[in-house]
């Protein structure tokens, strides 16, 4: 059996998204800046896509800028707020300890330029409160950037409340909604969001294309210099097929948001309940307040990487929070942020489901996983020490 359970990393494209892009690669392949009809067809498609995306999040078409993905949108939003702040002598930025690296690394860069970055601590259940944000805001705060939902442990943040706090205090508010778009209801006006990032490949669209919503009046700063595309805010010939596909994929997900969430939540809860039967393991994040498809657990006494390889041998695609896969030996900053000790954080597993997963697949994972964990523990020196009492169990 083959089970794809890594939808938080990326998703399979939907038939709708694939079909939407094909005409713009061969038939209407023109450059949207060209005056001839093939170019104008492409320009028209982009206009419609912009309108569709805006409609899905309660924005206006002119408030949407297409980017080369979620990371670029995050970079552009944060750099924009920093430059606006800098002009007014405001150099304090509030974020959280468990943001995506697209946010954290951009903030690090600004820190080197003299910005003061304050990362809010995360509760043990993966929670951040609007009160924490309110307490952290100072007269020199130029930006609050807080993710809509966490990509590793699935926490859903109180975005509307945080938006209200930021509005009241007159501070720009950006949210990385890459995990939320297409999966959770978003209304940028109602939620007082000034800037929002999304990426097509997290909702069955193509990779390498995303969007940045910026409330009208916010002067976006370019991160890609070039021609006058995207009203001068993002140089480079537009990825027309990708943009059209992004819009089609987002619309399809948003049209089925509640039914997809209900289906995926039931699968998720069955999976969590089954996994928690395994001794010395624990759920990461909140059991209820989490993305419909997110399962993240820690197993004591094993390494996440070995677990992933053995699952893969059984046809199960998953991911681990420990970042050895990304060339670093440090465990996930997200798991450390919720207080998991290093040795436990190394034994993490993330299974992220989508509406195409089935109950049979969940049953298959539950049939294979306990044996793999038991085997890895049987060959683990750490597990030996735990069993003999030389080391204390944490979970
Ligand atoms: C995937 C992801 C990103 C990065 O998006 P890309 O399109 O891969 O650049 C940023 N933030 C979050 C929360 C994500 O899950």
């Amino acid at each position: 059996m083959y089970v794809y359970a890594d939808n938080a990393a990326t998703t399979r494209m939907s038939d709708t998204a694939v079909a939407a892009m094909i005409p713009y690669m061969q038939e209407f392949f023109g450059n949207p800046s060209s005056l001839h009809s093939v170019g104008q067809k492409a320009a028209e498609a982009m206009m419609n896509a912009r309108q569709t995306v805006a409609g899905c999040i309660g924005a206006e078409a002119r408030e949407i800028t297409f980017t080369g993905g979620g990371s670029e949108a995050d970079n552009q939003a944060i750099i924009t707020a920093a430059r606006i702040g800098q002009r007014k002598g405001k150099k304090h930025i509030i974020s959280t300890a468990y943001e995506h690296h697209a946010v954290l690394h951009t903030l690090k860069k600004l820190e080197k330029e003299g910005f003061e970055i304050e990362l809010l601590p995360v509760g043990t259940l993966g929670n951040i409160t609007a009160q924490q944000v309110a307490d952290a805001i100072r007269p020199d705060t130029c930006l609050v950037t807080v993710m809509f939902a966490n990509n590793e442990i699935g926490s859903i943040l109180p975005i509307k409340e945080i938006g209200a706090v930021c509005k009241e205090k007159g501070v720009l508010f950006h949210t990385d909604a890459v995990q939320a778009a297409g999966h959770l209801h978003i209304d940028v006006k109602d939620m007082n969001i000034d800037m929002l990032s999304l990426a097509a490949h997290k909702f069955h669209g193509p990779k390498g294309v995303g969007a940045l919503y910026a409330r009208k009046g916010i002067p976006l700063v370019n991160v890609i210099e070039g021609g006058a595309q995207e009203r001068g805010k993002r140089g480079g010939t537009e990825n027309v097929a990708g943009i059209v596909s992004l819009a089609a994929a987002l619309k399809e997900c948003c049209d089925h948001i509640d039914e997809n969430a209900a289906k995926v939540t039931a699968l998720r809860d069955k999976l969590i309940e089954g996994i928690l039967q395994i001794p010395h393991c624990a759920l990461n994040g909140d059991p209820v307040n989490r993305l419909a498809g997110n399962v993240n657990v820690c197993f004591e006494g094993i390494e996440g990487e070995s677990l992933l390889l053995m699952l893969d041998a059984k046809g199960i695609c998953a991911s681990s929070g420990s970042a050895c896969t990304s060339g670093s030996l440090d465990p996930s900053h997200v798991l450390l942020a919720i207080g998991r000790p290093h040795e436990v954080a190394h034994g993490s597993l993330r299974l992220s489901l989508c509406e195409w997963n089935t109950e049979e697949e969940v049953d298959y994972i539950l049939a294979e996983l306990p044996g793999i964990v038991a085997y890895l523990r049987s060959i683990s020196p750490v597990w030996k020490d735990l069993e003999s009492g030389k080391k204390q169990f944490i979970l």
Side-chain angles (χ1 to χ4, degrees):
M1 199 164 183
Y2 164 74
V3 182
Y4 185 78
D6 200 13
N7 288 280
T10 197
T11 58
R12 178 180 185 272
M13 281 183 71
S14 66
D15 293 346
T16 309
V18 172
M21 72 195 299
I22 288 173
Y24 295 93
M25 296 190 284
Q26 294 183 315
E27 200 176 342
F28 309 120
F29 62 88
N31 188 321
S33 300
S34 298
L35 294 179
H36 50 65
S37 55
V38 184
Q40 285 311 296
K41 271 282 190 206
E44 197 182 304
M46 289 235 329
M47 210 171 71
N48 292 336
R50 207 181 302 280
Q51 187 63 56
T52 302
V53 172
C56 289
I57 61 169
E60 292 172 30
R62 60 179 162 150
E63 296 173 314
I64 305 296
T65 300
F66 291 112
T67 67
S71 300
E72 187 188 317
D74 284 340
N75 274 253
Q76 190 167 16
I78 292 167
I79 300 289
T80 292
R83 296 299 167 242
I84 294 171
Q86 202 163 26
R87 284 202 292 272
K88 301 177 185 163
K90 297 180 174 190
K91 298 184 88 172
H92 177 241
I93 298 177
I94 298 165
S95 189
T96 77
Y98 68 168
E99 295 296 310
H100 190 274
H101 284 132
V103 169
L104 290 178
H105 290 170
T106 306
L107 294 177
K108 262 267 170 289
K109 198 165 87 175
L110 290 170
E111 194 169 40
K112 291 203 186 95
E113 282 182 27
F115 281 83
E116 188 184 336
I117 310 299
E118 182 171 348
L119 300 182
L120 300 174
V122 184
T124 51
L125 286 178
N127 52 308
I128 292 276
T129 65
Q131 190 59 47
Q132 280 178 279
V133 175
D135 293 344
I137 291 177
R138 312 190 312 212
D140 63 338
T141 305
C142 63
L143 171 68
V144 169
T145 174
V146 170
M147 68 200 323
F148 207 115
N150 184 274
N151 47 305
E152 286 193 34
I153 58 173
S155 319
I156 300 169
L157 284 82
I159 291 302
K160 184 172 172 169
E161 289 74 10
I162 294 171
V165 164
C166 292
K167 186 175 186 191
E168 194 205 316
K169 307 233 180 187
V171 177
L172 277 181
F173 175 39
H174 164 252
T175 186
D176 172 347
V178 176
Q179 289 290 329
H183 305 285
L184 297 171
H185 292 284
I186 298 176
D187 185 326
V188 290
K189 304 290 173 215
D190 178 55
M191 295 173 162
N192 289 305
I193 297 166
D194 294 311
M195 290 186 277
L196 176 145
S197 314
L198 57 84
H201 73 108
K202 302 291 174 73
F203 47 77
H204 305 302
K207 294 167 191 46
V209 57
L212 173 60
Y213 152 80
R215 182 173 48 73
K216 55 179 174 287
I218 296 178
L220 284 183
V221 171
N222 286 49
V223 291
I224 307 288
E225 298 291 349
Q229 293 91 352
E230 296 297 281
R231 296 172 316 287
K233 301 306 180 191
R234 204 266 181 184
T237 304
E238 300 89 335
N239 175 5
V240 180
I243 288 166
V244 169
S245 183
L246 177 154
L250 184 61
K251 174 89 170 67
E252 187 173 46
C253 276
C254 288
D255 284 348
H256 300 97
I257 226 164
D258 293 321
E259 93 195 54
N260 287 348
K263 184 186 168 194
V264 180
T265 300
L267 295 176
R268 175 199 74 190
D269 289 344
K270 180 172 186 183
L271 192 51
I272 291 176
E273 199 187 310
I275 294 175
L276 292 181
Q277 305 298 314
I278 298 172
H280 301 289
C281 88
L283 182 69
N284 295 314
D286 190 299
V288 180
N289 177 38
R290 69 191 301 137
L291 288 170
N294 179 283
V295 176
N296 191 317
V297 288
C298 281
F299 297 102
E300 202 151 7
I302 61 176
E303 290 289 336
E305 284 69 33
S306 338
L307 186 53
L308 287 190
L309 294 178
M310 292 199 67
L311 284 169
D312 187 47
K314 296 285 183 186
I316 300 166
C317 304
S319 114
S320 168
S322 52
C324 299
T325 39
S326 53
S328 140
L329 284 174
D330 295 333
S332 146
H333 68 289
V334 176
L335 297 179
L336 296 181
I338 60 168
R340 292 287 185 215
H342 276 248
E343 53 271 45
V344 171
H346 271 300
S348 69
L349 173 69
R350 180 185 70 186
L351 295 156
S352 44
L353 308 172
C354 78
E355 66 276 20
W356 300 332
N357 287 110
T358 64
E359 194 163 356
E360 290 70 48
E361 292 177 346
V362 167
D363 290 338
Y364 178 68
I365 297 171
L366 289 176
E368 296 295 339
L369 185 60
I372 295 174
V373 171
Y375 168 74
L376 288 172
R377 282 175 170 169
S378 76
I379 58 167
S380 153
V382 177
W383 184 254
K384 206 168 269 154
D385 288 349
L386 288 166
E387 278 209 307
S388 69
K390 217 162 118 190
K391 267 193 185 153
Q392 292 289 308
F393 278 109
I394 298 170
L395 304 178

